[in-house]
Amino acid sequence: QKEVEQNSGPLSVPEGAIASLNCTYSDRGSQSFFWYRQYSGKSPELIMFIYSNGDKEDGRFTAQLNKASQYVSLLIRDSQPSDSATYLCAGQSAGYGGSQGNLIFGKGTKLSVKP
Amino acid sequence: GAVVSQHPSRVICKSGTSVKIECRSLDFQATTMFWYRQFPKQSLMLMATSNEGSKATYEQGVEKDKFLINHASLTLSTLTVTSAHPEDSSFYICSARDPGTGFYEQYFGPGTRLTVT
């Protein structure tokens, strides 16, 4: 069973701090990883994706991928109360046939940024 | 990023009736679309994968005769909840895979909140 694991939280950080969200995955064949943000009552929104080992930065967000450790993380710098949401990590399935390329989602980590 | 629309955003229906939800990719052609269900305070649950021109692939435990999926074109997939019951009340979200980049990213529609009375 291919899985993506996340700590459900809640993770609470003060405004202006760095929020660190972590994710592990079991499918060694997965190539691409995605971070989505979901506000309460809304659908998920793609923040960024990463497919190479190392860091990828986009504004206040930095995604980190370590394929050897099967570990993905998302850092949010200068956290704002508006960043309070559930963050979903997803890995692209390396399966065959119909499931190839499908995203496997973690259950999400709830982030709360306190003013 | 790519845009996916969903209609209606909210629907209330009586028990025993059927409801159709539409999902459209607005600025790209989506060969693959996905339907999810999410109950309050719970995680996304994949219901089915829909490929244009072929039958949908349903996840284990999802009744294909109750949740009818049609992916008739590269920009439109529909989900019909047949003979809806109160336990079908949920947030239904579609997503579409943009094949253009090769990275398999999915873009989500805004969701449809279904309430069955």
Side-chain angles (χ1 to χ4, degrees), chain B:
Chain B
V3 180
V4 176
S5 71
Q6 207 172 322
H7 178 80
S9 59
R10 192 178 291 268
V11 58
I12 301 172
C13 70
K14 292 188 185 298
S15 187
T17 60
S18 295
V19 173
K20 179 185 281 190
I21 302 170
E22 291 187 350
C23 178
R24 292 181 187 272
S25 57
L26 297 186
D27 51 2
F28 65 100
Q29 294 186 323
T31 52
T32 306
M33 289 184 171
F34 305 86
W35 288 96
Y36 294 84
R37 181 167 55 181
Q38 188 172 39
F39 293 106
K41 298 190 188 305
Q42 294 191 20
S43 55
L44 285 176
M45 188 194 84
L46 178 65
M47 299 175 68
T49 302
S50 167
N51 290 295
E52 187 266 338
S54 64
K55 290 184 179 180
T57 302
Y58 290 82
E59 295 299 302
Q60 194 171 7
V62 177
E63 300 173 59
K64 61 181 180 182
D65 294 331
K66 181 171 182 63
F67 298 99
L68 301 178
I69 292 172
N70 186 295
H71 193 158
S73 78
L74 287 172
T75 58
L76 174 64
S77 176
T78 60
L79 167 68
T80 301
V81 183
T82 63
S83 186
H85 291 284
E87 57 266 30
D88 298 321
S89 298
S90 188
F91 190 41
Y92 291 87
I93 315 171
C94 72
S95 71
R97 180 191 295 162
D98 182 351
T101 67
F103 293 112
Y104 298 98
E105 67 269 34
Q106 292 179 19
Y107 294 93
F108 285 86
T112 297
R113 195 162 301 282
L114 170 64
T115 303
V116 185
T117 62

Side-chain angles (χ1 to χ4, degrees), chain A residues 33-91:
Chain A
F33 299 88
F34 305 81
W35 283 100
Y36 287 83
R37 175 175 61 196
Q38 186 176 22
Y39 290 112
S40 180
K42 303 293 186 182
S43 66
E45 170 193 12
L46 180 63
I47 299 173
M48 61 191 302
F49 65 90
I50 186 168
Y51 54 90
S52 297
N53 271 327
D55 296 359
K56 179 181 179 183
E57 189 175 316
D58 184 358
R60 294 187 298 114
F61 299 97
T62 298
Q64 299 174 317
L65 173 59
N66 183 326
K67 291 188 179 181
S69 300
Q70 295 178 244
Y71 179 91
V72 191
S73 65
L74 179 70
L75 302 178
I76 306 175
R77 288 182 299 282
D78 188 24
S79 296
Q80 301 297 309
S82 58
D83 294 325
S84 298
T86 296
Y87 289 79
L88 304 172
C89 171

